[in-house]
Amino acid sequence: MEWLRPFGLFRLEKKMNKKKWIRIVSIYSVIYTVITLLNSVLYLCNGINEDPSGNWHELDRAMILLIGIAAFELCTNLPVKPLVLRYLIAYIPSQLLAFAYVWFSGLREPLAKTAYRDIWINFRAFLCCYVSLILSFMF
């Protein structure tokens, strides 16, 4: 564990208080609701009255969003000094986890031909929005 000292990972032992958990759950809930409503409106505008992917699509969206929120929390709370390194440490494992989730969902039902490209673009855009938001508050 001594090799972790340069990265400041020993300070990760901070306890999460109730206020922080409420904030995380609130952010998750609001984003999930907005994404779900937007998806429903887009389907209705295109004349589709039911989600073709059904309930699995909702659960998949919830899991990918959970991975994204965890990545965001890592981006903002990892005690690693160079910001680029902090973002890489948070982004790479979370993107790999998102790819793994897509792969495992392919065991349930056939994936679209562009599934991996789509998750890469969407997940990267999701995190880039948050990182740019963080940077805008810092500078």
Side-chain angles (χ1 to χ4, degrees):
M1 294 297 284
E2 245 346 273
W3 63 275
L4 293 175
R5 189 170 303 282
F7 298 108
L9 295 179
F10 285 110
R11 291 182 278 156
L12 280 177
E13 299 171 3
K14 292 181 184 177
K15 293 183 181 178
M16 292 187 65
N17 57 21
K18 184 178 177 180
K19 187 176 180 181
K20 183 163 181 114
W21 278 109
I22 289 172
R23 183 183 69 80
I24 292 171
V25 170
S26 297
I27 290 170
Y28 178 85
S29 300
V30 167
I31 293 173
Y32 181 79
T33 302
V34 168
I35 290 172
T36 302
L37 289 173
L38 180 63
N39 186 58
S40 296
V41 167
L42 291 174
Y43 272 138
L44 289 172
C45 288
N46 289 321
I48 302 170
N49 292 331
E50 296 178 7
D51 187 350
S53 301
N55 293 326
W56 282 112
H57 189 235
E58 300 298 324
L59 294 174
D60 292 339
R61 179 184 300 131
M63 289 304 297
I64 294 298
L65 180 60
L66 183 63
I67 294 168
I69 294 293
F72 171 71
E73 287 298 317
L74 286 173
C75 283
T76 57
N77 294 320
L78 272 178
V80 177
K81 284 298 178 193
L83 284 178
V84 172
L85 183 60
R86 179 190 312 174
Y87 294 147
L88 285 175
I89 290 172
Y91 174 75
I92 292 172
S94 59
Q95 181 69 70
L96 291 174
L97 186 58
F99 281 142
Y101 184 80
V102 169
W103 184 84
F104 279 114
S105 68
L107 299 176
R108 173 178 15 100
E109 60 188 357
L111 295 175
K113 290 181 181 180
T114 61
Y116 293 104
R117 184 196 66 182
D118 293 345
I119 194 64
W120 181 72
I121 291 170
N122 291 327
F123 195 77
R124 185 183 57 165
F126 175 75
L127 284 180
C128 287
C129 289
Y130 279 126
V131 168
S132 66
L133 180 65
I134 294 166
L135 292 176
S136 70
F137 284 115
M138 292 177 63
F139 300 107

